[in-house]
């Protein structure tokens, strides 16, 4: 029996952060809306209405105040707890359509569908059912692109999103060859997956201005000028799969957690609270990928943009006698490093931690200094913490070193409620 040629579907939530806000506040539909970064700094998401006004991604909010007043732009603080939970809900729905799924980002997932598309009649009908179910169950709008390679699926998704004729689902297999080439001719090369502004500029200087131009370019020549990744991109645009779904994401080699403070911090106690909180977040990610850390790096920074104030930045790596994923042990190491680098008399803007020297917990070498129970007590405690914090919201159970008031926490002056993960913030129907 001959195996069916691969078919990839890319499902992408439209304007994800903005759409999440609109799900729970329908009155925002059609209203110009931006979602701001940490400490309400820059626009990290823009509604189509804001994009039409020419507002660029990353525009600082203070520079948008005039245009916001003029056009009634509303700004919301980032609500990552809500966005993460909504992303998980979409992924859960997609797994019902195909078990071969790769989460590419918080709002995008690839699926292999060649063995299941026929169950829905066609890939287009399958994509329509995905859109309908996700919209009905979560309220989020998505577009679906289908192609014989991941790069072409991304291209198809772009067509589905930008052209009403596809009604949100574009399957390149359903188009004739002349139609596919015509669509490629009409799209700028910068829209190709992996071609950023810098590479796009170099390509245009070589008279490669459209997706079709890149498809027709010599893969060997592209490798000579840009490397093996661009060669693979060329081949993928020709329908030759070079990038399969990953069985699983590769574990990170280090895990960092850092935030700018909502207000300048001078006291060592508040710095200790911030560092302990960041370690807890990083340790949760560490356990999720089943790793242990052999060292903790902690650092402090003042605000370099305030030149009138004294400046100081420092960092220190604290090695652990044995790799661990225990939050309490990692907090103790980080606070030891903080004590060594802290200097009074400065107004600190930021602190952070990096867990390094990561290893697989399943293959960790046992030592003479391990606990008598082999670390089972620590393992059970951390597992219980993770379950409680997953079910009732991050920080429900945490180290006492993390503090209670956390005055230093980043600003989120206009954050919407965490509707789906906090009992006290559930949506109320009047």
């Amino acid at each position: 029996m001959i195996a069916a040629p691969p078919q990839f579907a890319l499902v992408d939530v439209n304007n994800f952060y903005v759409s999440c806000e609109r799900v729970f506040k329908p009155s925002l539909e059609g209203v110009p809306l931006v979602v701001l970064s940490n400490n309400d700094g820059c626009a990290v998401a823009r509604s189509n209405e804001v994009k039409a006004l020419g507002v660029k991604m990353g525009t600082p909010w203070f520079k948008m105040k005039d245009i916001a007043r003029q056009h009634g732009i509303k700004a919301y603080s980032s609500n990552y707890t809500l966005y993460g939970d909504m992303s998980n809900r979409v992924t859960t729905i997609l797994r019902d359509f195909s078990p071969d799924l790769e989460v590419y980002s918080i709002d995008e997932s690839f699926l292999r569908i060649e063995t299941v598309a026929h169950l829905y009649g066609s890939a287009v009908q399958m994509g329509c059912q995905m859109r309908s179910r996700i919209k009905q169950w979560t309220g989020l709008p998505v577009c679906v692109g289908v192609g014989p390679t991941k790069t072409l699926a991304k291209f198809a998704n772009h067509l589905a999103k930008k052209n009403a004729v596809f009604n949100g689902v574009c399957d390149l297999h359903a188009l004739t060859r002349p139609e596919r080439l015509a669509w490629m001719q009409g799209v700028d090369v910068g829209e190709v997956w992996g071609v950023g502004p810098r590479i796009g500029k170099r390509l245009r200087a070589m008279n490669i201005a459209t997706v079709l131009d890149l498809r027709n370019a010599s893969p060997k020549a592209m490798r000579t000028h840009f490397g093996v990744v661009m060669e693979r991109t060329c081949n993928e645009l020709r329908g030759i799969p070079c990038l399969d779904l990953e069985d699983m994401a590769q574990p990170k080699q280090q895990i960092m957690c850092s935030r700018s403070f909502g207000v300048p911090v001078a006291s060592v106690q508040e710095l200790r609270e911030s560092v302990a909180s960041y370690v807890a977040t990083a340790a949760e990610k560490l356990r999720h990928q089943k790793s242990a850390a052999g060292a903790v790096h902690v650092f402090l920074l003042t605000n370099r943009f305030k030149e009138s104030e004294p400046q100081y930045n420092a960092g220190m790596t604290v090695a652990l006698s044995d790799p661990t994923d225990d939050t309490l042990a990692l907090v103790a190491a980080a606070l030891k490093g903080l004590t060594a680098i802290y200097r009074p008399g400065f107004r600190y803007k930021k602190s952070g931690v990096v867990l390094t020297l990561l290893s697989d917990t399943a293959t960790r070498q046992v030592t003479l200094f391990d606990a008598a129970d082999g670390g089972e007590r620590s393992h059970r405690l951390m597992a219980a913490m993770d379950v409680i914090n997953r079910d009732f919201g991050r920080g429900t159970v945490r180290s006492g070193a993390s503090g209670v008031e956390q005055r230093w926490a980043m600003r989120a002056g206009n954050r919407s409620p965490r509707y789906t993960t906090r009992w006290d913030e559930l949506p109320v129907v009047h």
Side-chain angles (χ1 to χ4, degrees):
M1 182 176 178
I2 301 175
Q7 272 188 296
F8 295 88
L10 176 67
V11 182
D12 179 17
V13 182
N14 303 339
N15 294 332
F16 180 57
Y17 291 177
V18 169
S19 294
C20 287
E21 299 292 349
R22 286 174 167 171
V23 165
F24 297 96
K25 199 169 184 180
S27 61
L28 293 174
E29 286 291 343
V31 175
L33 175 65
V34 295
V35 175
L36 303 176
S37 62
N38 295 337
N39 288 310
D40 295 344
C42 304
V44 294
R46 304 155 295 155
S47 68
N48 289 334
E49 296 81 6
V50 173
K51 294 176 184 178
L53 295 173
V55 176
K56 303 297 184 184
M57 179 70 82
T59 302
W61 174 239
F62 74 88
K63 290 186 177 181
M64 296 171 53
K65 293 295 180 67
D66 290 339
I67 193 173
R69 281 191 293 267
Q70 182 180 353
H71 295 280
I73 298 175
K74 293 187 177 295
Y76 277 72
S77 305
S78 296
N79 189 343
Y80 296 120
T81 302
L82 174 65
Y83 308 152
D85 184 67
M86 294 295 282
S87 175
N88 290 336
R89 290 167 187 254
V90 172
T91 302
T92 299
I93 294 171
L94 291 177
R95 290 192 192 279
D96 288 340
F97 286 91
S98 173
D100 297 323
L101 180 145
E102 174 190 345
V103 177
Y104 177 62
S105 67
I106 193 170
D107 60 345
E108 294 178 281
S109 292
F110 284 103
L111 297 87
R112 284 287 295 265
I113 64 170
E114 67 269 14
T115 61
V116 294
H118 68 279
L119 300 175
Y120 302 88
S122 69
V124 171
Q125 291 174 302
M126 182 180 184
C128 289
Q129 289 199 37
M130 289 178 183
R131 294 188 77 225
S132 176
R133 190 178 301 179
I134 291 171
K135 182 67 175 178
Q136 181 181 5
W137 292 9
T138 70
L140 295 172
V142 304
C143 284
V144 182
V146 179
T149 69
K150 291 172 75 173
T151 302
L152 285 174
K154 286 277 284 187
F155 173 66
N157 186 276
H158 172 80
L159 295 181
K161 190 177 296 186
K162 300 295 183 181
N163 300 276
V165 66
F166 293 109
N167 196 29
V169 180
C170 175
D171 177 13
L172 294 182
H173 300 88
L175 304 178
T176 65
R177 187 174 186 275
E179 287 174 334
R180 289 196 300 271
L181 298 182
W183 282 110
M184 287 182 171
Q185 181 62 42
V187 177
D188 185 85
V189 70
E191 298 295 340
V192 175
W193 186 30
V195 176
R198 183 176 59 84
I199 293 178
K201 183 177 180 180
R202 290 177 60 191
L203 287 170
R204 293 183 196 95
M206 300 168 62
N207 294 319
I208 300 175
T210 69
V211 177
L212 183 61
D213 292 336
L214 184 56
R215 177 201 178 277
N216 292 337
S218 165
K220 289 185 178 180
M222 291 299 98
R223 178 168 185 159
T224 299
H225 287 92
F226 300 97
V228 67
V229 174
M230 188 58 71
E231 178 187 32
R232 291 174 179 168
T233 298
C234 267
N235 284 325
E236 289 237 332
L237 288 175
R238 296 180 178 200
I240 304 171
C242 300
L243 304 169
D244 202 349
L245 290 189
E246 296 177 358
D247 293 332
M248 61 180 64
Q250 292 298 311
K252 295 180 179 179
Q253 298 305 304
Q254 63 179 28
I255 297 175
M256 182 174 78
C257 186
S258 174
R259 295 284 188 275
S260 294
F261 301 136
V263 294
V265 171
S267 77
V268 68
Q269 180 56 38
E270 289 184 310
L271 290 174
R272 287 172 61 88
E273 291 178 3
S274 71
V275 167
S277 296
Y278 300 154
V279 169
T281 299
E284 185 178 331
K285 296 178 181 178
L286 184 74
R287 291 189 291 272
H288 181 73
Q289 72 171 36
K290 294 180 172 53
S291 295
V296 182
H297 181 80
V298 59
F299 61 89
L300 294 171
L301 300 172
T302 53
N303 191 340
R304 62 186 178 89
F305 295 106
K306 292 192 175 183
E307 298 179 355
S308 60
E309 295 185 359
Q311 299 294 310
Y312 174 71
N313 65 80
M316 181 178 182
T317 299
V318 179
L320 299 162
S321 57
D322 299 300
T324 184
D325 61 4
D326 187 303
T327 296
L328 302 182
L330 294 169
V331 166
L335 295 183
K336 178 180 178 181
L338 175 66
T339 300
I341 64 175
Y342 170 73
R343 298 291 182 272
F346 295 96
R347 285 158 51 89
Y348 294 98
K349 176 63 176 175
K350 188 176 187 178
S351 70
V353 297
V354 184
L355 305 185
T356 64
L357 300 181
L358 305 191
S359 58
D360 187 349
T361 52
T363 59
R364 187 180 74 84
Q365 180 67 45
V366 178
T367 75
L368 290 173
F369 302 100
D370 279 352
D373 63 355
E376 183 60 26
R377 181 173 180 274
S378 169
H379 174 74
R380 291 200 305 268
L381 176 61
M382 294 301 107
M385 284 180 57
D386 291 344
V387 169
I388 293 171
N389 289 332
R390 182 193 64 209
D391 292 346
F392 296 95
R394 175 170 289 171
T396 301
V397 178
R398 61 182 185 267
S399 161
S402 301
V404 178
E405 293 186 10
Q406 298 188 338
R407 291 190 320 107
W408 46 268
M410 67 180 185
R411 291 192 303 273
N414 199 25
R415 178 183 58 77
S416 55
R418 291 159 290 190
Y419 298 103
T420 61
T421 58
R422 296 291 291 260
W423 289 109
D424 57 340
E425 296 182 19
L426 285 172
V428 177
V429 179
H430 298 283

